[in-house]
Every structure is written in C-alpha cells, then in structure tokens.
Amino acid sequence: MEDRVRVVIAEDSVLLREGLTRLLTDRGHEVVAGVGDGDALIKTITELDGQGELPDVVVADVRMPPTHTDEGVRAAVQLRKSHPGLGVLVLSQYVEERYATELLAGSSRGVGYLLKDRVAEVREFVDAVVRVARGGTALDPEVVAQLLGRSRKQDVLAGLTPREREVLGLMAEGRTNSAIARQLVVSDGAVEKHVSNIFLKLGLSQSDGDHRRVLAVLTYLNS
C-alpha cells in the first residue's frame, strides 16, 4: 500500500496500546513494536535503527512510568534530535503548553500533538499518523487554540488580521487550502491570498519551501 506506514506505539495502558494497534493494523499499517515507558521506547528505536528497520513514526503518550509526568515527551524530544527523519506524534489527556512548545520548538518536519479524545475520531487520527510519518504536521485544534491564544500577546503575530489568524490555526491542524476554503465557506483563491499574506507578514520567503506552512505556525515559539 502506498500510504502504508510502520509505527512504534509507546503507551503504558495495555488496553489503549492494543486499541491503537488495532486501529492502525485494520487500516493496513504495520505496528512493529509496542512499549510501556520512555526508556523502552528509546531502546526499541535504537535497536530497530541498528537493524536498518527504523519505523516511519512513533506514537507516544506524554505521561508514562515511572513518574507519569513527562517521560513520554522527553523521550520524543530526544528521538527527534537523534533520529531527525523519524516522525513523532504525542498524545496527551490535556493541552500541556510546556510540553507542546518543547516538542514543536525544533524541526518543523514530522511532528504532531493530539489530545487522546481525538483517537475516537478514527479516520482523523489515522490520517494524522500517516501525515506525521510522511514529514507533515498534525496539531490538535485545542493545542492550536491555546498556543495561538498565548502568541497573540506577542508582537510576532500582531500584524495578522483575525481572518488570517483563523486561517493560520486551520493550517496548523494540517488542512490543505481547499479544506480551509470549505471550512470557512470561501473560495480557494481567497484562502491562497490569506496564506500569502501570512507568509509575507511573518517574513517567510519562498526559499523556505513547503515548510512555510509549518514555520508560519511555529515562528512565534522562537520569539
């Protein structure tokens, strides 16, 4: 299958881990390993890489043993540094701004942050896994809302109109221009104009390539 991806799942709840595995395998993807803590995740990825079998994406819970605080996201951040080509999608019960910022502050490729409730929307969840595996971005709408809400206090987005902020939020969710147009009930051309204005106002030139869509959302994190 063209869209088939190889996944490692890191989740200490056996029930949820098995549920995620079933969701993905039922749709033709391969779950190559399932682990229950951050150390096991790093060890598994290191071993798979050594065998030339690095997966496309890791799906990891933010909070895992032994302290159930930030073991998962710390492992995810470490893996993004040691394996830049590995997609990382983290799941969280709530929007935890510090963890989201830490995860998103590095490279803009292959990263996602979703609330666990989003797993119930099976198609959207699986699409997010595939998108991150392919080097794209998947941010939960609630995460986007909170991060952009904070960023409005900063000068970096001060020049954007309310509509441009709305478009930027939808871009951050990984939506295409056509999907944004349908959501806002406007033409594709109108969305393209808003996106161009966002790039211009945030100082993102054409040399930044396709990643301008992600950089537009992440620019404020480094301000």
Side-chain angles (χ1 to χ4, degrees):
M1 294 177 59
E2 184 178 349
D3 289 333
R4 182 172 179 265
V5 298
R6 300 174 68 251
V7 187
V8 169
I9 297 174
E11 167 61 59
D12 61 294
S13 167
V14 176
L15 183 61
L16 181 53
R17 189 165 70 233
E18 292 300 320
L20 294 175
T21 299
R22 181 67 180 270
L23 287 179
L24 292 166
T25 56
D26 280 355
R27 285 153 184 80
H29 304 295
E30 180 185 1
V31 177
V32 297
V35 299
D37 62 71
D39 289 342
L41 173 59
I42 292 173
K43 179 180 179 182
T44 297
I45 295 300
T46 300
E47 291 176 348
L48 288 171
D49 190 27
Q51 298 165 7
E53 297 290 338
L54 189 69
D56 299 302
V57 61
V58 165
V59 178
D61 189 2
V62 166
R63 299 173 180 266
M64 288 195 289
T67 68
H68 293 279
T69 54
D70 62 353
E71 283 84 357
V73 75
R74 283 195 288 107
V77 171
Q78 181 175 332
L79 288 173
R80 280 177 60 73
K81 292 178 180 177
S82 60
H83 300 82
L86 176 67
V88 174
L89 173 62
V90 300
L91 303 177
S92 179
Q93 192 69 40
Y94 311 101
V95 179
E96 300 181 85
E97 186 176 318
R98 178 170 64 88
Y99 298 150
T101 301
E102 184 176 7
L103 183 70
L104 298 171
S107 170
S108 60
R109 286 185 57 83
V111 62
Y113 189 112
L114 296 180
L115 296 184
K116 286 187 174 180
D117 287 348
R118 204 66 58 188
V119 176
E121 300 172 17
V122 176
R123 182 175 179 178
E124 290 188 18
F125 169 70
V126 175
D127 285 349
V129 172
V130 173
R131 189 159 63 248
V132 170
R134 299 306 184 209
T137 305
L139 298 183
D140 194 284
E142 291 297 324
V143 175
V144 173
Q146 184 159 320
L147 293 180
L148 289 182
R150 183 196 67 174
S151 70
R152 289 191 186 103
K153 301 175 183 178
Q154 304 174 11
D155 292 337
V156 67
L157 298 184
L160 299 186
T161 66
R163 176 63 93 180
E164 287 165 354
R165 289 196 187 101
E166 190 173 12
V167 170
L168 181 56
L170 293 170
M171 286 166 58
E173 294 173 25
R175 303 195 190 207
T176 64
N177 285 3
S178 295
I180 293 172
R182 290 193 298 271
Q183 175 73 20
L184 300 180
V185 195
V186 298
S187 68
D188 287 0
V191 173
E192 290 174 4
K193 182 177 180 180
H194 288 312
V195 172
S196 295
N197 287 339
I198 290 168
F199 292 157
L200 179 65
K201 291 178 179 180
L202 296 185
L204 299 173
S205 67
Q206 290 186 356
S207 62
D208 291 312
D210 293 337
H211 302 314
R212 288 192 298 174
R213 296 183 73 84
V214 179
L215 291 172
V217 180
L218 303 182
T219 294
Y220 74 92
L221 291 173
N222 295 321
S223 66

